[in-house]
């Protein structure tokens, strides 16, 4: 019983059991704006030595258009104050599907006064049936003094329930633009998987031209029996033709 466990005069909302099985008594305070939207949460832990509540978590909520921003503050017991350390941005559609997701952290060792940076940002697109059709993942390098530098973008498209395509673009610092680096297709049929891998076609003038590199096929006959086919493609430049080398493996890695 929380009320019996706490002998002080401060009201306690809940008890939380930590990883080392210690019970922490907590009190939460909620802040609302004029439209009754929750804009902040402060969580206090009870300290039995000082017989008082100590701020352990301070979260603020802010809405910017369709984007929701959650701000997290860190408590410093020496200065008895909180520091704004990182914030979470996300956006959902009318069906509750997550369409944008990013976590930004404050790095005080970057630049003169520090810098806000994110390692990755996610973008999601859905069809009318709330089925994921496009997933875009952006990776950044925040170690430079100039701020976030886009390292790569990977597109995951889902044309159907049995087909998934991945296309990766990486930032070329010398050319100062994104260059296509690889493309994969995954096609499933039951428990069997077909993987098709493409590499950029550097002989083409198109920036998104691809050439076939290899094909892998995993064919599951039974739960204990599987055959794997690998077909690799290579150019014979002198004859300007492509040569395919195929390897077939059965169960227990027997070629």
């Amino acid at each position: 019983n929380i009320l019996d466990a706490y002998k002080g005069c401060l009201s306690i909302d809940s008890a939380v059991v930590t990883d080392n099985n210690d019970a922490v008594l907590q009190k939460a305070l909620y802040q609302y704006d004029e439209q009754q939207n929750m804009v902040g949460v402060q969580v206090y832990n009870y300290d039995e030595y000082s017989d008082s509540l100590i701020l352990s978590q301070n979260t603020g909520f802010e809405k910017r258009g369709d984007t929701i921003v959650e701000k997290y503050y860190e408590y410093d017991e020496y200065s008895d104050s909180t520091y704004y350390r990182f914030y979470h941005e996300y956006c959902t559609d009318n069906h509750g599907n997550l369409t944008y997701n990013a976590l930004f952290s404050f790095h005080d060792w970057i630049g003169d006064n520090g810098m806000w940076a994110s390692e990755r940002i996610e973008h999601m697109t859905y069809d009318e049936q709330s089925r994921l059709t496009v997933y875009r993942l952006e990776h950044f390098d925040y170690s430079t003094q100039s701020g976030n530098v886009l390292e790569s973008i990977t597109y995951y498209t889902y044309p159907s329930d049995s087909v998934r395509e991945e296309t990766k673009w990486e930032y070329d610092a010398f050319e100062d633009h994104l260059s296509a680096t690889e493309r994969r297709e995954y096609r499933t049929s039951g428990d069997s998987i077909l993987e098709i891998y493409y590499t950029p076609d550097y002989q083409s003038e198109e920036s998104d031209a691809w050439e076939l590199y290899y094909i892998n096929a995993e064919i599951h006959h039974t739960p204990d029996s599987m055959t794997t086919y690998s077909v690799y493609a290579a150019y014979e430049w002198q004859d300007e033709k492509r040569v395919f080398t195929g390897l077939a493996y059965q169960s227990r890695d027997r070629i």
Side-chain angles (χ1 to χ4, degrees):
N1 188 293
I2 296 177
L3 295 179
D4 293 339
Y6 178 61
K7 303 301 181 181
C9 60
L10 296 173
S11 60
I12 299 297
D13 296 329
S14 62
V16 177
V17 179
T18 60
D19 294 337
N20 56 1
N21 292 326
D22 289 338
V24 179
L25 302 180
Q26 292 184 335
K27 180 176 181 61
L29 299 179
Y30 302 91
Q31 295 174 312
Y32 298 88
D33 59 13
E34 296 178 353
Q35 289 74 34
Q36 297 303 310
N37 298 314
M38 187 169 60
V39 296
V41 178
Q42 291 81 41
V43 178
Y44 295 83
N45 290 344
Y46 170 68
D47 181 32
E48 59 181 359
Y49 297 102
S50 61
D51 192 26
S52 61
L53 293 174
I54 298 178
L55 182 64
S56 64
Q57 176 183 335
N58 190 357
T59 306
F61 300 89
E62 180 182 345
K63 193 169 183 180
R64 301 173 182 172
D66 295 332
T67 304
I68 299 175
V69 182
E70 296 181 357
K71 299 180 180 180
Y72 296 87
Y73 299 81
E74 193 174 276
Y75 176 71
D76 185 6
E77 59 182 358
Y78 297 102
S79 61
D80 192 24
S81 59
T82 56
Y83 293 89
Y84 186 16
R85 287 301 183 187
F86 62 94
Y87 67 94
H88 177 207
E89 285 188 358
Y90 62 94
C91 186
T92 58
D93 59 14
N94 296 330
H95 302 284
N97 298 314
L98 190 66
T99 58
Y100 171 79
N101 188 40
L103 182 64
F104 296 86
S105 302
F106 185 77
H107 302 271
D108 50 10
W109 50 272
I110 300 178
D112 297 332
N113 299 315
M115 184 185 71
W116 290 98
S118 176
E119 291 187 34
R120 50 184 287 161
I121 297 178
E122 301 170 293
H123 303 265
M124 285 71 73
T125 304
Y126 304 85
D127 60 13
E128 296 179 354
Q129 287 74 38
S130 294
R131 188 181 66 88
L132 181 65
T133 56
V134 179
Y135 172 75
R136 188 175 84 232
L137 177 61
E138 301 175 357
H139 277 280
F140 296 88
D141 178 16
Y142 57 83
S143 60
T144 62
Q145 298 294 323
S146 59
N148 286 9
V149 176
L150 182 62
E151 284 188 328
S152 65
I153 298 179
T154 305
Y155 292 91
Y156 301 84
T157 57
Y158 305 84
S160 66
D161 293 336
S162 60
V163 178
R164 175 167 60 95
E165 300 174 350
E166 299 178 10
T167 305
K168 186 174 183 180
W169 298 69
E170 292 185 353
Y171 178 71
D172 189 340
F174 297 100
E175 299 292 337
D176 192 24
H177 66 76
L178 289 167
S179 300
T181 56
E182 64 180 44
R183 181 183 171 208
R184 299 174 186 264
E185 292 183 11
Y186 297 90
R187 301 177 182 273
T188 60
S189 177
D191 293 333
S192 301
I193 301 175
L194 177 67
E195 178 188 7
I196 308 173
Y197 182 81
Y198 300 88
T199 56
D201 185 0
Y202 297 108
Q203 306 301 316
S204 174
E205 297 180 356
E206 300 294 333
S207 61
D208 57 348
W210 303 93
E211 60 181 12
L212 180 64
Y213 180 60
Y214 71 75
I215 299 174
N216 282 334
E218 292 185 1
I219 302 175
H220 298 258
H221 306 289
T222 65
D224 299 326
S225 175
M226 181 184 72
T227 301
T228 302
Y229 298 94
S230 298
V231 180
Y232 297 89
Y235 267 120
E236 294 288 349
W237 295 108
Q238 63 273 21
D239 298 327
E240 293 186 354
K241 65 180 180 180
R242 187 180 294 254
V243 177
F244 290 88
T245 302
L247 300 174
Y249 295 89
Q250 292 181 351
S251 301
R252 299 182 181 178
D253 296 331
R254 186 171 61 87
I255 192 168

